[in-house]
Amino acid sequence: MNEPAVPTAAATSDDGGLPGSLWARMKADPQFAPEHLALEAVRRLGPQARAWAERTRADQPGITDAALADQAAKRFLNHARISGAVSGAAGLPGAVADVGVLAWTQARMVLHIAAAYGVDPVSPDRATDLLVLQKVHKVAETARLALGVAAGRERASRLFAGAANRPLAGVMLKLGVKLAQMAGVRAAKRMFAKVIPGAAMILGTWVNSTATRDLAKRTRQMYAPES
Protein backbone atom coordinates (compact mmCIF):
# COMPACT_ATOMS: atom_id res chain seq x y z
CA MET A 1 0.00 0.00 0.00
CA ASN A 2 1.36 3.40 -0.88
CA GLU A 3 1.82 5.94 1.87
CA PRO A 4 -0.35 9.07 1.71
CA ALA A 5 1.18 12.00 -0.06
CA VAL A 6 1.77 14.99 2.15
CA PRO A 7 -0.76 17.63 1.04
CA THR A 8 0.72 20.66 -0.65
CA ALA A 9 0.23 24.27 0.38
CA ALA A 10 -1.90 24.96 -2.67
CA ALA A 11 -4.23 22.14 -1.76
CA THR A 12 -4.60 23.01 1.87
CA SER A 13 -3.91 26.50 3.13
CA ASP A 14 -1.51 29.36 3.00
CA ASP A 15 0.67 28.00 5.79
CA GLY A 16 2.07 25.11 3.74
CA GLY A 17 -0.24 22.38 5.00
CA LEU A 18 0.57 19.73 7.55
CA PRO A 19 4.33 19.50 8.17
CA GLY A 20 5.93 16.33 6.90
CA SER A 21 7.49 15.82 10.32
CA LEU A 22 4.01 15.77 11.86
CA TRP A 23 2.78 13.13 9.43
CA ALA A 24 5.81 11.00 10.29
CA ARG A 25 5.24 11.45 14.01
CA MET A 26 1.55 10.56 13.78
CA LYS A 27 2.21 7.48 11.64
CA ALA A 28 4.86 6.35 14.09
CA ASP A 29 2.57 6.90 17.08
CA PRO A 30 -1.03 6.72 15.75
CA GLN A 31 -2.60 6.14 19.16
CA PHE A 32 -1.63 9.71 20.12
CA ALA A 33 -2.10 11.30 16.70
CA PRO A 34 -4.64 13.91 17.92
CA GLU A 35 -2.33 14.96 20.73
CA HIS A 36 0.64 15.29 18.38
CA LEU A 37 -1.47 17.35 15.99
CA ALA A 38 -2.74 19.62 18.77
CA LEU A 39 0.77 20.27 20.10
CA GLU A 40 2.12 21.03 16.64
CA ALA A 41 -0.85 23.24 15.78
CA VAL A 42 -0.27 25.49 18.79
CA ARG A 43 3.45 25.71 18.01
CA ARG A 44 3.06 26.47 14.31
CA LEU A 45 -0.40 27.97 13.91
CA GLY A 46 -0.80 29.85 17.18
CA PRO A 47 1.64 32.63 16.20
CA GLN A 48 -0.09 32.94 12.82
CA ALA A 49 -3.48 33.31 14.50
CA ARG A 50 -2.19 35.99 16.86
CA ALA A 51 -0.55 37.93 14.00
CA TRP A 52 -3.75 37.68 11.93
CA ALA A 53 -5.88 39.08 14.74
CA GLU A 54 -3.47 41.96 15.36
CA ARG A 55 -3.22 42.77 11.65
CA THR A 56 -6.98 42.64 11.09
CA ARG A 57 -7.69 44.88 14.06
CA ALA A 58 -5.15 47.37 12.73
CA ASP A 59 -6.72 47.27 9.26
CA GLN A 60 -10.30 47.42 10.56
CA PRO A 61 -10.37 49.80 13.54
CA GLY A 62 -13.35 49.28 15.77
CA ILE A 63 -14.07 45.73 14.65
CA THR A 64 -15.71 43.73 17.43
CA ASP A 65 -14.39 40.44 18.73
CA ALA A 66 -17.54 38.72 17.49
CA ALA A 67 -17.12 40.12 13.98
CA LEU A 68 -13.49 39.04 13.94
CA ALA A 69 -14.51 35.55 15.05
CA ASP A 70 -17.09 35.52 12.24
CA GLN A 71 -14.33 36.20 9.73
CA ALA A 72 -12.24 33.35 11.07
CA ALA A 73 -15.13 30.89 11.11
CA LYS A 74 -16.18 31.73 7.55
CA ARG A 75 -12.62 31.59 6.26
CA PHE A 76 -11.90 28.14 7.59
CA LEU A 77 -15.33 26.77 6.83
CA ASN A 78 -14.54 27.53 3.21
CA HIS A 79 -11.18 25.80 3.58
CA ALA A 80 -12.90 22.76 5.08
CA ARG A 81 -15.35 22.52 2.20
CA ILE A 82 -12.54 22.10 -0.30
CA SER A 83 -10.15 20.14 1.89
CA GLY A 84 -11.32 16.74 0.68
CA ALA A 85 -9.42 14.79 -1.95
CA VAL A 86 -6.33 16.97 -1.51
CA SER A 87 -3.83 14.16 -1.26
CA GLY A 88 -4.20 12.79 -4.77
CA ALA A 89 -3.99 9.29 -3.30
CA ALA A 90 -6.75 6.72 -3.56
CA GLY A 91 -8.09 4.31 -1.01
CA LEU A 92 -7.18 4.34 2.66
CA PRO A 93 -3.93 6.39 2.36
CA GLY A 94 -5.75 9.20 0.57
CA ALA A 95 -8.62 9.07 3.04
CA VAL A 96 -6.23 9.38 5.99
CA ALA A 97 -4.50 12.35 4.36
CA ASP A 98 -7.87 14.02 3.75
CA VAL A 99 -9.08 13.77 7.34
CA GLY A 100 -5.65 14.87 8.54
CA VAL A 101 -5.96 18.04 6.48
CA LEU A 102 -9.48 18.59 7.80
CA ALA A 103 -8.34 18.21 11.43
CA TRP A 104 -5.46 20.65 10.78
CA THR A 105 -7.82 23.16 9.15
CA GLN A 106 -10.17 22.91 12.10
CA ALA A 107 -7.29 23.47 14.53
CA ARG A 108 -6.37 26.63 12.63
CA MET A 109 -9.95 27.83 12.93
CA VAL A 110 -10.08 27.22 16.67
CA LEU A 111 -6.84 29.12 17.25
CA HIS A 112 -7.98 32.03 15.07
CA ILE A 113 -11.31 32.27 16.90
CA ALA A 114 -9.43 32.21 20.21
CA ALA A 115 -7.25 35.08 19.00
CA ALA A 116 -10.35 36.97 17.87
CA TYR A 117 -11.65 36.91 21.43
CA GLY A 118 -8.32 37.96 22.90
CA VAL A 119 -7.40 34.47 24.13
CA ASP A 120 -3.70 33.70 23.68
CA PRO A 121 -3.45 31.21 20.77
CA VAL A 122 0.14 30.24 21.60
CA SER A 123 -0.56 29.18 25.18
CA PRO A 124 -0.10 25.45 25.84
CA ASP A 125 -3.64 25.52 27.21
CA ARG A 126 -4.91 25.84 23.64
CA ALA A 127 -3.74 22.30 22.87
CA THR A 128 -5.93 21.12 25.73
CA ASP A 129 -8.81 23.20 24.39
CA LEU A 130 -8.39 21.69 20.93
CA LEU A 131 -8.71 18.16 22.21
CA VAL A 132 -11.80 18.97 24.27
CA LEU A 133 -13.48 21.05 21.58
CA GLN A 134 -12.81 18.37 18.97
CA LYS A 135 -14.20 15.77 21.39
CA VAL A 136 -11.04 13.68 21.57
CA HIS A 137 -11.29 13.98 25.35
CA LYS A 138 -14.33 14.87 27.39
CA VAL A 139 -12.59 16.97 30.03
CA ALA A 140 -9.48 19.14 30.19
CA GLU A 141 -7.79 17.02 32.85
CA THR A 142 -7.61 13.88 30.70
CA ALA A 143 -6.61 15.96 27.69
CA ARG A 144 -3.68 17.45 29.63
CA LEU A 145 -2.57 14.00 30.76
CA ALA A 146 -2.66 12.68 27.19
CA LEU A 147 -0.74 15.71 25.91
CA GLY A 148 1.92 15.08 28.55
CA VAL A 149 2.29 11.50 27.40
CA ALA A 150 2.44 12.53 23.74
CA ALA A 151 5.04 15.21 24.47
CA GLY A 152 7.18 12.66 26.29
CA ARG A 153 6.93 10.21 23.41
CA GLU A 154 7.81 13.00 21.00
CA ARG A 155 10.97 13.79 22.92
CA ALA A 156 11.89 10.13 23.23
CA SER A 157 11.92 9.53 19.48
CA ARG A 158 13.63 6.20 19.98
CA LEU A 159 10.25 4.85 21.08
CA PHE A 160 9.04 5.26 17.51
CA ALA A 161 11.74 3.07 16.01
CA GLY A 162 9.49 0.02 15.94
CA ALA A 163 6.77 1.73 13.91
CA ALA A 164 8.43 0.91 10.61
CA ASN A 165 8.17 -2.79 11.43
CA ARG A 166 4.43 -2.73 11.98
CA PRO A 167 2.05 -3.57 9.10
CA LEU A 168 1.39 -0.32 7.24
CA ALA A 169 -2.30 -1.08 6.70
CA GLY A 170 -2.89 -1.44 10.43
CA VAL A 171 -1.01 1.75 11.23
CA MET A 172 -2.91 3.73 8.61
CA LEU A 173 -6.27 2.41 9.77
CA LYS A 174 -5.60 3.36 13.39
CA LEU A 175 -4.27 6.75 12.33
CA GLY A 176 -7.30 7.35 10.13
CA VAL A 177 -9.74 6.47 12.89
CA LYS A 178 -7.98 8.77 15.38
CA LEU A 179 -7.87 11.70 12.96
CA ALA A 180 -11.48 11.15 11.92
CA GLN A 181 -12.48 11.26 15.58
CA MET A 182 -10.64 14.55 15.95
CA ALA A 183 -12.15 16.07 12.81
CA GLY A 184 -15.68 15.09 13.83
CA VAL A 185 -17.59 11.84 14.15
CA ARG A 186 -19.17 12.33 10.75
CA ALA A 187 -15.73 12.70 9.24
CA ALA A 188 -15.29 8.97 9.81
CA LYS A 189 -17.95 8.44 7.14
CA ARG A 190 -15.98 10.78 4.90
CA MET A 191 -12.79 8.82 5.42
CA PHE A 192 -14.22 5.39 4.73
CA ALA A 193 -16.33 6.75 1.86
CA LYS A 194 -13.18 7.61 -0.03
CA VAL A 195 -12.19 3.96 -0.01
CA ILE A 196 -15.37 3.31 -2.04
CA PRO A 197 -15.11 4.87 -5.52
CA GLY A 198 -17.64 7.64 -6.07
CA ALA A 199 -18.92 7.90 -2.52
CA ALA A 200 -16.38 10.50 -1.41
CA MET A 201 -17.58 13.09 -3.91
CA ILE A 202 -21.12 12.80 -2.57
CA LEU A 203 -20.30 13.02 1.13
CA GLY A 204 -17.14 15.11 1.27
CA THR A 205 -18.35 18.70 1.17
CA TRP A 206 -21.38 18.12 3.39
CA VAL A 207 -19.48 16.17 6.04
CA ASN A 208 -16.56 18.60 6.20
CA SER A 209 -18.88 21.61 6.42
CA THR A 210 -21.11 20.11 9.09
CA ALA A 211 -18.26 19.00 11.34
CA THR A 212 -16.44 22.33 11.01
CA ARG A 213 -19.56 24.45 11.53
CA ASP A 214 -20.39 22.53 14.71
CA LEU A 215 -16.83 23.00 15.95
CA ALA A 216 -16.97 26.74 15.27
CA LYS A 217 -20.13 27.00 17.39
CA ARG A 218 -18.54 25.14 20.30
CA THR A 219 -15.40 27.25 20.04
CA ARG A 220 -17.30 30.50 20.19
CA GLN A 221 -19.24 29.28 23.19
CA MET A 222 -15.94 28.52 24.95
CA TYR A 223 -14.13 31.76 24.18
CA ALA A 224 -16.82 34.42 23.90
CA PRO A 225 -17.11 36.45 27.11
CA GLU A 226 -20.32 35.90 29.00
CA SER A 227 -22.77 38.75 28.59
Side-chain angles (χ1 to χ4, degrees), residues 189-211:
K189 298 179 181 179
R190 169 71 179 88
M191 187 186 78
F192 291 109
K194 185 167 183 178
V195 181
I196 305 173
M201 293 182 63
I202 298 173
L203 293 178
T205 299
W206 176 78
V207 169
N208 288 7
S209 298
T210 301

Side-chain angles (χ1 to χ4, degrees), residues 147-164:
L147 286 166
V149 172
R153 291 162 77 91
E154 179 181 328
R155 289 190 295 268
S157 57
R158 54 185 170 78
L159 295 178
F160 301 158

Side-chain angles (χ1 to χ4, degrees), residues 45-135:
L45 305 179
Q48 295 177 11
R50 182 166 59 187
W52 166 81
E54 292 173 350
R55 183 173 62 251
T56 305
R57 287 192 175 99
D59 292 342
Q60 303 177 42
I63 188 171
T64 65
D65 291 351
L68 196 58
D70 280 342
Q71 290 187 20
K74 290 176 182 177
R75 172 183 175 187
F76 293 108
L77 180 59
N78 287 335
H79 278 273
R81 284 173 176 152
I82 61 174
S83 66
V86 298
S87 66
L92 184 58
V96 173
D98 286 354
V99 292
V101 170
L102 178 57
W104 186 252
T105 299
Q106 291 177 344
R108 291 188 74 205
M109 181 185 71
V110 168
L111 295 173
H112 277 65
I113 292 176
Y117 284 110
V119 178
D120 185 4
V122 304
S123 168
D125 290 340
R126 299 297 80 75
T128 301
D129 293 348
L130 280 169
L131 295 177
V132 174
L133 284 166
Q134 293 178 289
K135 299 185 177 180

